[in-house]
Amino acid sequence: MASIFSKIIAGEIPGDIVYQDELVTAFRDINPQAPTHILIVPNKEIPTVNEVTNADEAAMGRMILAAKKIAEQEGIAANGYRLIVNCGNHGHQEVFHLHMHLVGGRPLGPMLYR
Ligand code: AMP
């Protein structure tokens, strides 16, 4: 079954999409933890970092390049921000479609945002 993020990417359920290309899609987190909280997601449904393969290298790189562009668009590039990828149980991953959180817009404190 398609993940909730695949449904947003496909336009089947609503998402506040801020960036999309042939490899990745980015949309606002539904429960933001900071003034800017965006999820950057490979269009291909990869459950966790543990399932990433060499074939996904371009998409993984694109996620970082998209983060850079979006941070500029959001006006948070100069002050800085945090990129987070949770993996599995101990990483507190809730949605099993790999994603990178782009969090910023305020000082975030050391390491973990909650
Ligand atoms: P993680 O704990 O890293 O798996 O984070 C999952 C994130 O997905 C959480 O921050 C949720 O608020 C967010 N989320 C869940 N459902 C949606 C949705 N439909 N649209 C946007 N963000 C979502």
Side-chain angles (χ1 to χ4, degrees):
M1 204 181 84
S3 77
I4 191 156
F5 292 169
S6 287
K7 289 179 183 168
I8 291 172
I9 291 164
E12 290 166 14
I13 63 168
D16 189 354
I17 292 176
V18 298
Y19 177 86
Q20 188 160 43
D21 64 28
E22 82 284 10
L23 291 177
V24 305
T25 299
F27 46 88
R28 293 191 192 280
D29 196 291
I30 205 167
N31 182 24
Q33 303 296 313
T36 294
H37 188 169
I38 288 165
L39 302 175
I40 304 167
V41 180
N43 294 339
K44 176 183 166 188
E45 193 170 318
I46 304 164
T48 81
V49 172
N50 289 338
E51 285 78 39
V52 170
T53 69
N54 288 348
D56 302 317
E57 195 169 354
M60 297 300 102
R62 188 67 62 80
M63 286 166 72
I64 295 279
L65 291 171
K68 175 189 162 180
K69 272 188 203 149
I70 296 162
E72 285 164 3
Q73 277 173 31
E74 294 285 312
I76 62 170
N79 280 332
Y81 47 89
R82 184 169 292 154
L83 301 174
I84 304 165
V85 180
N86 295 325
C87 180
N89 188 22
H90 282 194
H92 206 287
Q93 185 176 359
E94 291 174 344
V95 176
F96 285 82
H97 183 150
L98 194 157
H99 51 281
M100 175 183 283
H101 298 252
L102 165 59
V103 187
R106 64 167 169 81
L108 295 168
M111 289 303 292
L112 300 175
Y113 70 89
R114 63 180 176 189

